[in-house]
Amino acid sequence: MATAAEDRRAVLLRVGDNVAVAARPIPKGFVLNLDGRDVTVLEPIALGHKVSLLEVAEGEPVRKYGQIIGFASKAIPAGSWIHVHNLKADLFERDYAYASVSAPSTLETTPRTFPGYLRPDGRVGTRNYVAVISAVNCSASTSRAVAERFREGDWRQRFPNVDGVFAITHKGGCGIPTRGADHIQLERVLAGFANHPNVAACVLVGLGCEVSQAREIVEIHDLIRPGSKPSEHRRPRVINIQEQGGITKTVEATVQAVLDVLPEANAWVRTEQPISKLCLAMECGGSDGNSGVTANPALGVAADMLIAQGGTAVLGETTEIYGAEHLLTRRAVSREVGEKLVERIKWWEWYTGVFGAEMNNNPSPGNKEGGLTTIYEKSLGALAKAGSSPLVDVVGFAEKVDGPGLVFMDTPGFDPICTTGLVAGGANVLVFTTGRGSVLGLKPTPCIKLATNTPMYERMIDDMDINAGTILEGESVEDAGRRLFELILEVAGGQRTRSEAAGIGEEEFAPWFIGPQL
């Protein structure tokens, strides 16, 4: 349980930590009283940055969250600012202790429902979109031109139950080995969006001579879309530029195809659905030193509440749990599940090494300016999003997520790629925590922005949906989590997020390509 000074200048996250986190800027000479000791601050400490509570000898571990976040690269006097100039991320052994910890009982919640779109496969949509899906980069501009035709016009009045027509475009689909890893993964991502519960109907657009053939995507992944009646099912239409005779003809043919499916999409209506039908994607981006103090723990509370009612929460960013993965392996429901996670960690160590990178390169300049120093510190804060529920499964990038419970998906930490994978896996609502002020959205899934601190929340009020910086001002993590839980239900039921109101969410689609471009 975190404790703080009376004026909440700093937060001690765990008894026994040798650092505290600035809840407000701390001037030089200020006397902190934390964990029963007075510490005189030797230099200014910015919001989200760390101050040492004890003298730390060179080579000794620095602890935050009750865990090692790095090792002193030189002697650190008590009251000092701890950051990249005196803290390094040396390797250390983690005890994975597979399936050794029984997660505490999840929070009790009154059974709740939300209005959603019940699809024939049993999943529930929180939105009702029509998607124009580009199979290859060569058809991206054409797909975008089709979506632009539906930005305005009277069609919305005629089809009020449709949230919009959007394009899924990317820079791949050719120049890759046929049926190689990237080809298969791209198809899985595109199929995940085509079959997404938030997509009522879709049209696929290709060039005609590419590696990633739209018709193959439809056939291999058995893409069958429901019609306006439960008994009606049909394959989505595929349109190729070369067969149509060029871009202009393809745009007109695809616009007509969209008009043909709009009545079917509009026939869907919201009905009351249990929370167990929610699949929550959890992401953090533009993190700061308070991400692991406020927003991420609050999201963990909301995730536990969702899981307590049979829902699913999915966590990604393998590179951003590095150094903290042992906390998840202990909560795994079996040794097998824990070992699946560690195998992914070992793969990433190999993968980054192939290209001369290292995992500690991860914290970005913005992360560091916000107070994060090492990948271990960033990972421990990021993992707070996972709450306290048992880890039930580990899945590959963009693989379908089958709950209920907490699931981990192997993804890079790069926000657009990670969220693309989570949504392709079936997440129908997304919560994105941010301390620096990330502005991501990703159609067709609504994205809730959760701010870690009040100054950024107020500065970027047009982009943030909810503020967890109130925790630094006295609100409990549990109360903030409950506020977020209520907002998740409201958004799932149709309330628009800030990113939706701004029309954001198409450019952020980013499949993960890991192999050679030919």
Side-chain angles (χ1 to χ4, degrees):
M1 179 67 68
T3 60
E6 289 185 2
D7 70 349
R8 307 197 69 80
R9 289 283 179 144
V11 178
L12 177 67
L13 295 175
R14 296 288 188 279
V15 173
D17 284 356
N18 50 11
V19 299
V21 181
R24 294 167 52 194
I26 306 174
K28 178 180 178 180
F30 188 88
V31 179
L32 292 172
N33 181 268
L34 292 171
D35 199 20
R37 68 173 68 89
D38 288 337
V39 179
T40 301
V41 177
L42 302 180
E43 53 195 314
I45 310 295
L47 171 68
H49 284 249
K50 298 174 292 297
V51 58
S52 60
L53 302 179
L54 299 169
E55 181 179 350
V56 184
E58 181 177 353
E60 286 190 350
V62 172
R63 296 182 182 274
K64 179 182 174 184
Y65 308 107
Q67 301 289 327
I68 294 173
I69 63 168
F71 299 85
S73 58
K74 59 183 178 180
I76 302 174
S80 299
W81 174 41
I82 292 185
H83 202 38
V84 294
H85 62 291
N86 55 14
L87 184 65
K88 58 182 179 179
D90 286 345
L91 295 177
F92 67 99
E93 291 294 324
R94 274 90 79 187
D95 181 5
Y96 291 129
Y98 298 106
S100 63
V101 175
S102 297
S105 300
T106 51
L107 297 172
E108 292 185 7
T109 55
T110 303
R112 303 284 296 279
T113 63
F114 71 99
Y117 300 97
L118 179 61
R119 308 301 189 188
D121 63 1
R123 294 186 298 170
V124 171
T126 61
R127 295 295 184 268
N128 198 44
Y129 278 102
V130 172
V132 180
I133 301 175
S134 178
V136 64
N137 176 63
C138 306
S139 58
S141 295
T142 302
S143 300
R144 181 75 66 212
V146 173
E148 288 296 327
R149 293 276 286 272
F150 290 89
R151 294 288 182 233
E152 299 177 354
D154 63 355
W155 72 271
R156 292 184 181 277
Q157 286 71 46
R158 291 184 287 135
F159 306 109
N161 292 336
V162 178
D163 287 298
V165 176
F166 75 104
I168 294 174
T169 64
H170 54 92
K171 303 301 182 185
C174 211
I176 52 178
T178 301
R179 305 315 304 165
D182 279 335
H183 184 191
I184 292 170
Q185 185 154 282
L186 175 61
E187 285 192 351
R188 186 166 67 242
V189 172
L190 296 177
F193 275 73
N195 268 337
H196 198 278
N198 289 0
V199 174
C202 65
V203 180
L204 281 77
V205 183
L207 176 63
C209 59
E210 61 272 15
V211 170
S212 180
Q213 290 283 321
R215 287 193 179 91
E216 287 186 5
I217 297 172
V218 172
E219 295 295 330
I220 291 174
H221 293 273
D222 195 25
L223 300 188
I224 301 177
R225 298 303 311 180
S228 56
K229 298 178 181 179
S231 60
E232 293 179 352
H233 295 84
R234 65 189 67 179
R235 294 191 182 280
R237 185 171 175 188
V238 171
I239 300 174
N240 283 320
I241 296 171
Q242 292 169 350
E243 294 173 1
Q244 291 295 320
I247 290 177
T248 300
K249 293 175 183 177
T250 303
V251 169
E252 295 305 320
T254 309
V255 166
Q256 185 57 53
V258 171
L259 290 171
D260 290 342
V261 299
L262 278 173
E264 298 175 0
N266 192 63
W268 291 96
V269 295
R270 290 182 182 269
T271 57
E272 286 300 313
Q273 301 296 325
I275 289 179
S276 60
K277 296 296 185 179
L278 286 180
C279 181
L280 170 67
M282 303 181 291
E283 173 79 354
C284 54
S287 301
D288 68 354
N290 280 313
S291 291
V293 179
T294 61
N296 288 348
L299 177 51
V301 170
D304 283 342
M305 294 176 68
L306 182 70
I307 291 169
Q309 296 202 29
T312 303
V314 55
L315 180 71
E317 300 182 288
T318 314
T319 56
E320 295 185 14
I321 66 159
Y322 186 74
E325 72 275 9
H326 59 289
L327 301 181
L328 277 180
T329 59
R330 294 169 182 225
R331 287 162 48 189
V333 294
S334 68
R335 183 182 183 92
E336 179 184 17
V337 169
E339 287 179 340
K340 287 170 68 175
L341 180 61
V342 173
E343 186 277 327
R344 289 290 82 203
I345 292 290
K346 300 301 183 185
W347 182 89
W348 274 98
E349 289 178 333
W350 167 83
Y351 180 65
T352 53
V354 166
F355 297 100
E358 60 183 42
M359 300 289 267
N360 195 48
N361 287 345
N362 181 282
S364 70
N367 293 153
K368 292 176 180 178
E369 187 175 342
L372 295 175
T373 307
T374 68
I375 184 56
Y376 304 142
E377 180 183 14
K378 184 175 183 180
S379 294
L380 288 162
L383 196 57
K385 301 192 298 293
S388 60
S389 298
L391 177 67
V392 301
D393 200 6
V394 176
V395 300
F397 184 79
E399 289 183 355
K400 185 178 179 182
V401 176
D402 291 318
L406 175 66
V407 176
F408 186 86
M409 179 181 287
D410 180 31
T411 79
F414 185 44
D415 302 335
I417 294 179
C418 178
T419 50
T420 294
L422 298 178
V423 171
N428 53 11
V429 65
L430 165 64
V431 173
F432 191 112
T433 70
T434 182
R436 305 293 294 167
S438 294
V439 293
L440 181 143
L442 185 60
K443 294 178 180 178
T445 295
C447 179
I448 297 168
K449 301 296 190 333
L450 177 60
T452 75
N453 63 85
T454 299
M456 186 276 290
Y457 174 77
E458 293 177 343
R459 186 173 67 253
M460 300 187 67
I461 190 66
D462 293 335
D463 299 288
M464 298 295 115
D465 295 283
I466 183 170
N467 181 25
T470 50
I471 294 171
L472 299 177
E473 299 153 17
E475 183 182 29
S476 70
V477 170
E478 289 74 19
D479 284 347
R482 290 182 183 278
R483 282 196 296 116
L484 175 60
F485 178 75
E486 294 298 329
L487 180 58
I488 290 171
L489 294 189
E490 291 171 5
V491 168
Q495 178 177 313
R496 291 207 301 172
T497 64
R498 298 282 189 171
S499 61
E500 288 180 297
I504 295 169
E506 293 183 54
E507 294 298 333
E508 291 79 359
F509 178 81
W512 180 21
F513 297 102
I514 60 176
Q517 297 291 299
L518 304 180

